[in-house]
Amino acid sequence: MANLVKSFFKLTTLLCLILASSGCALMGLAVVPAAVSGGAAGVDYTLTNNAYKTISSPVADVEAALNKALKKMDIKETKRKAEEGKVSVTAVTGNLDIHISLEKVTPTVTNIEVNAQKGIFLKDKSMATEIIVQTEKNLEGKK
């Protein structure tokens, strides 16, 4: 009987570790802030707390909308790198380092990922989300 209890405990622990490492256990937690915030509906977060979203617009349109959003939010772009189907933007505010990547999925679909970081360990998820929200608002007039 004791061996059966030990085996059950080991199996349960193993299943929990598998689910946690695959992200399934954290999936519900990652979507809750986006669902609650209203205007940020549909913005998800990676396990490293980067905000991301897939947008139904070409990379060039999303980049133009992003530039407009950064200017409106008074965020200074410091570096831009473009290659085939990808654009990387680095920007700063008074206390944040912001890294934004746009990646072409199809000719009319783009992934946007935003990492707004305070120092080495702290992330500003609300700023990252707001950059995506403002970028989308700027795209609404184009559709």
Side-chain angles (χ1 to χ4, degrees), residues 42-84:
V43 175
D44 293 313
Y45 299 91
T46 64
L47 290 176
T48 57
N49 284 326
N50 294 345
Y52 71 95
K53 186 163 186 182
T54 301
I55 299 174
S56 297
S57 293
V59 172
D61 291 352
V62 176
E63 184 180 10
L66 172 65
N67 290 336
K68 188 175 178 181
L70 292 176
K71 285 179 185 170
K72 177 182 178 186
M73 297 173 75
D74 202 25
I75 298 172
K76 182 181 177 191
E77 182 179 319
T78 57
K79 184 178 175 186
R80 180 186 174 279
K81 180 181 176 188
E83 29 183 84
E84 185 65 32

Side-chain angles (χ1 to χ4, degrees), residues 8-119:
F8 178 76
F9 179 76
K10 287 179 183 179
L11 180 63
T12 305
T13 303
L14 180 63
L15 287 173
C16 288
L17 288 172
I18 290 170
L19 287 175
S21 67
S22 71
C24 292
L26 300 175
M27 184 60 87
L29 296 176
V31 177
V32 170
V36 171
S37 62
V43 175
D44 293 313
Y45 299 91
T46 64
L47 290 176
T48 57
N49 284 326
N50 294 345
Y52 71 95
K53 186 163 186 182
T54 301
I55 299 174
S56 297
S57 293
V59 172
D61 291 352
V62 176
E63 184 180 10
L66 172 65
N67 290 336
K68 188 175 178 181
L70 292 176
K71 285 179 185 170
K72 177 182 178 186
M73 297 173 75
D74 202 25
I75 298 172
K76 182 181 177 191
E77 182 179 319
T78 57
K79 184 178 175 186
R80 180 186 174 279
K81 180 181 176 188
E83 29 183 84
E84 185 65 32
K86 291 184 180 184
V87 176
S88 298
V89 175
T90 303
V92 294
T93 66
N95 61 348
L96 292 174
D97 293 319
I98 302 169
H99 303 280
I100 305 163
S101 82
L102 307 176
E103 187 171 354
K104 174 182 169 182
V105 177
T106 71
T108 59
V109 176
T110 303
N111 279 334
I112 181 172
E113 184 172 338
V114 181
N115 176 8
Q117 200 163 342
K118 289 181 183 179

